[in-house]
Amino acid sequence: MSSQTGRQPGSKGPQRSPSQRAQSKGGPTIDPIRVLRQHVLGICVSIFLGGIIGVGAFFSLRYLYPLYSTEVMFEVRPGLVESTDIGTSESMSEKDVSRVANTQALLIKGRDVLSDAVANPGVRDTGWMQEWFIDPESGTPLEAQAVDDLIETLSTPVIRNTNLFSVRWSWHNAQDVPIVLNAIAQAYLRKIERLDNEQFSENEALFQDQLRGTRLALGDLNEEIQGFILTHGI
């Protein structure tokens, strides 16, 4: 006698809830409210710290930026080649222009030029000088430190394929930039004028020496001529 076991027609298996059916179909679910409650302290701390960092960054960048830049341009012009030249030549080779421009750029960043510029009363009154290079105890200007800062922050680009070179500087106060740059340009031009005057004085002294030597030679020659005339009764 055989026996069969099985489900009776119309019978069903154990019933499952909708959430159980969803888990079986799509994997485990995440309750966002529960997660939020678990991490509410960390979220509040993150918001607080982010606000502090944001406010600090805002005021820091407001103080440090933007940077205002400007530059003063100079032109390399041909000079006299020989002392007998009436006028200057019309052009210079690119190699000569580059050599002269790079030399002048080094002169602009010389400590003597920058010290002269820092000593300018207008530069002394700038925010750049007052905020960073004035001794808070004695109130005396820290000129050496100011010159060191300018040496590091000044740029002197030489513009390719032109006779131009420049001095460029940037600072956070727009009013300070032209004052400092104009003082540097004026100090540089004074040095160039001083060097030209020294060269002129040296050349003049050389010509005067040659003139004295020529006059002495002419005097000796004249004495020889007079002696020759007297000796021979001419």
Side-chain angles (χ1 to χ4, degrees), residues 51-72:
I52 294 177
I53 294 173
V55 172
F58 171 77
F59 284 103
S60 298
L61 294 177
R62 185 178 180 183
Y63 177 76
L64 295 175
Y65 292 93
L67 284 174
Y68 299 93
S69 302
T70 190
E71 62 182 357
V72 179

Side-chain angles (χ1 to χ4, degrees), residues 2 25 50 67 69 72 78 102 119 127 144 155 160 173 176:
S2 64
K25 291 181 180 180
L67 284 174
S69 302
V72 179
N102 283 296
S155 61
R160 294 177 58 86
N173 189 332
D176 290 350

Side-chain angles (χ1 to χ4, degrees), residues 90-107:
E90 295 182 357
S91 62
M92 296 175 62
S93 67
E94 184 176 353
K95 181 179 179 181
D96 290 339
V97 171
S98 178
R99 177 176 56 83
V100 173
N102 283 296
T103 301
Q104 299 305 309
L106 290 176
L107 291 177

Side-chain angles (χ1 to χ4, degrees), residues 81-124:
V81 178
E82 300 292 341
S83 60
T84 56
D85 291 345
I86 298 176
T88 61
S89 58
E90 295 182 357
S91 62
M92 296 175 62
S93 67
E94 184 176 353
K95 181 179 179 181
D96 290 339
V97 171
S98 178
R99 177 176 56 83
V100 173
N102 283 296
T103 301
Q104 299 305 309
L106 290 176
L107 291 177
I108 291 177
K109 297 184 70 173
R111 295 195 69 90
D112 54 344
V113 172
L114 298 181
S115 296
D116 188 11
V118 169
N120 187 296
V123 175
R124 294 282 180 89

Side-chain angles (χ1 to χ4, degrees), residues 29-186:
T29 60
I30 298 175
D31 186 357
I33 302 301
R34 184 178 179 183
V35 174
L36 183 62
R37 289 175 178 174
Q38 290 176 348
H39 299 86
V40 63
L41 180 60
I43 294 173
C44 292
V45 172
S46 299
I47 293 175
F48 178 74
L49 293 178
I52 294 177
I53 294 173
V55 172
F58 171 77
F59 284 103
S60 298
L61 294 177
R62 185 178 180 183
Y63 177 76
L64 295 175
Y65 292 93
L67 284 174
Y68 299 93
S69 302
T70 190
E71 62 182 357
V72 179
M73 306 292 295
F74 300 94
E75 181 183 6
V76 177
R77 294 182 178 179
L80 296 175
V81 178
E82 300 292 341
S83 60
T84 56
D85 291 345
I86 298 176
T88 61
S89 58
E90 295 182 357
S91 62
M92 296 175 62
S93 67
E94 184 176 353
K95 181 179 179 181
D96 290 339
V97 171
S98 178
R99 177 176 56 83
V100 173
N102 283 296
T103 301
Q104 299 305 309
L106 290 176
L107 291 177
I108 291 177
K109 297 184 70 173
R111 295 195 69 90
D112 54 344
V113 172
L114 298 181
S115 296
D116 188 11
V118 169
N120 187 296
V123 175
R124 294 282 180 89
D125 294 334
T126 59
W128 169 75
M129 191 76 178
Q130 293 293 325
E131 294 177 11
W132 296 95
F133 303 108
I134 297 295
D135 191 327
E137 296 181 357
S138 62
T140 57
L142 304 175
E143 293 186 0
Q145 290 86 333
V147 170
D148 291 339
D149 183 77
L150 288 176
I151 290 175
E152 293 179 1
T153 55
L154 279 176
S155 61
T156 52
V158 177
I159 303 176
R160 294 177 58 86
N161 301 323
T162 70
N163 287 22
L164 302 176
F165 66 98
S166 67
V167 55
R168 184 181 302 163
W169 190 61
S170 301
W171 187 242
H172 313 297
N173 189 332
Q175 296 178 350
D176 290 350
V177 178
I179 296 175
V180 174
L181 274 182
N182 286 334
I184 294 173
Q186 292 170 8

